[in-house]
Amino acid sequence: MAFRTIIEPFRVKSVEAIKFTTRDEREARLREAGYNVFQLHADDVLIDLLTDSGTGAMSSMQWAAIMQADESYAGSRSFYRFRDVVSDLTGFRHIIPTHQGRAAERILFHTVLQPGQIVPNNNHFDTTRANIEVEDAEAVDLVIPEGRIPSAVHPFKGNIDIAALERLLAERGDRVPLVMVTVTNNSGGGQPVSLENLRSVRRLCDRYRKPFFLDACRFAENAWFIKTREAGQGHRTPKEIAQEMFSLADGCTMSAKKDGLANIGGFLAMNDDGWAEAARNLLILTEGFPTYGGLAGYDLEAVARGLEEVVEEPYLHYRIRSTEYLGTKLTESGVPIIQPPGGHAIYIDARALLPEIPPLEYPGIALVNALYVAAGVRGVEIGTVMFGRHPDGSETPATMDLVRLAIPRRVYTQSHIDYVAEAVVDVAAGRARLAGYRITEAPAALRHFTARFEPLG
Ligand SMILES: Cc1ncc(COP(=O)(O)O)c(C=O)c1O
């Protein structure tokens, strides 16, 4: 391209109005929501960066595919189209549709885990961890040391620590039924994993005879980072890189709400015939017949088309650059974020920004709530509220207290992002006025979704 400006590789065909509210209105809505932005009515949010999951805009080709879907209960044409696209991309023998990623996780872990077993990962996402712990097994995070330091710059900060993984396999390998790696590493800042790291995991898994599964939600964004950052990969297409990533694994869980560019959907895929049979039996019990797995035929069509669009270079170029754009703006204004910016989100280091608020008073919640009140922007805490409570009921600070601003795919324009940056910088400038929170009500698991809070001070 002759010009430096990277443009959105699409034009807009349909628009959705967003609602402006006053500061007083937002304060009232937040109080009613128990100071938990998950409990807000989405209409009261101006720019919603709660998640990049299921919030993307579908293309005209996806909507067209939806109209052509086959809603047959068994053997739907849309299933075969979905299966063929996923097989071509991943190479796995068994493709099992599920309604979203956590359903794939639940089915996988309920099928293969026994109480007391251990699942290593770079960083488990919250639903992944919860679906392991509910089987009375242990989820162990083994991301490289740089991945635990927000300011540390490393091109593949999502890499798993190979030496630590080897130690675990050597010392307690009899309790490890499979090894997982999450691409990109959402809980660690949306950071990528290198091909070299995945190849090393493969070698270890061969040596210790362990199956290797990818949590593949953002496989395409990971492939783009490999293309642009890993030596010798620049000439390959993102799809070729993704195909190699999958070829190194024995299976994957996938939420198509991310790099499936769909509003709902997911799959579990694997090569092992015995595990696949057991997984399909459980699928029938809880999701549906194996050719729809809890999805409509039109969802399968949307995912199939989305998986083709997501590996297109102009899309990935724009996607990764637009996230980086927000990261650069915040960094230039002195707001501490996880460096370098991740693929799908910017993670503000709330612990560093608000050092007077101790982790057990939830600096992430303080920042999320201040951002909503100031600007109507909704982010999410990824820190002590999300990860600090343990199965025995005790609570300790999480490794980091972050606020994630996740960017929905193909939804917001550059001026929306400029507004978000301005809002964050404004809140950061008034940080001395922010106070912590205490929890007044919370369930035992996944408390961040429904907990209620009270401001301190
Ligand atoms: C890395 C990772 N794994 C699993 C999931 C769960 O997927 P879903 O929300 O579709 O259940 C998510 C969702 O955000 C994720 O980011």
Side-chain angles (χ1 to χ4, degrees), residues 51-53 99-103 105 123-128 182-187 215-218 253-258 264-266 344 404:
T51 176
D52 65 319
S53 179
H99 81 273
Q100 62 183 92
R102 70 198 66 187
E105 291 166 357
N123 282 114
H124 292 269
F125 183 65
D126 60 351
T127 60
T128 323
T182 304
V183 292
T184 56
N185 189 24
N186 185 5
S187 303
D215 177 338
C217 297
R218 298 177 182 83
T253 55
M254 172 73 188
S255 168
K257 300 171 73 174
K258 286 83 171 175
I264 196 72
H344 67 292
R404 186 185 73 179

Side-chain angles (χ1 to χ4, degrees), residues 98-117:
T98 60
H99 81 273
Q100 62 183 92
R102 70 198 66 187
E105 291 166 357
R106 197 194 88 82
I107 289 168
L108 174 67
F109 294 133
H110 194 68
T111 303
V112 310
L113 282 188
Q114 301 297 325
Q117 290 190 318

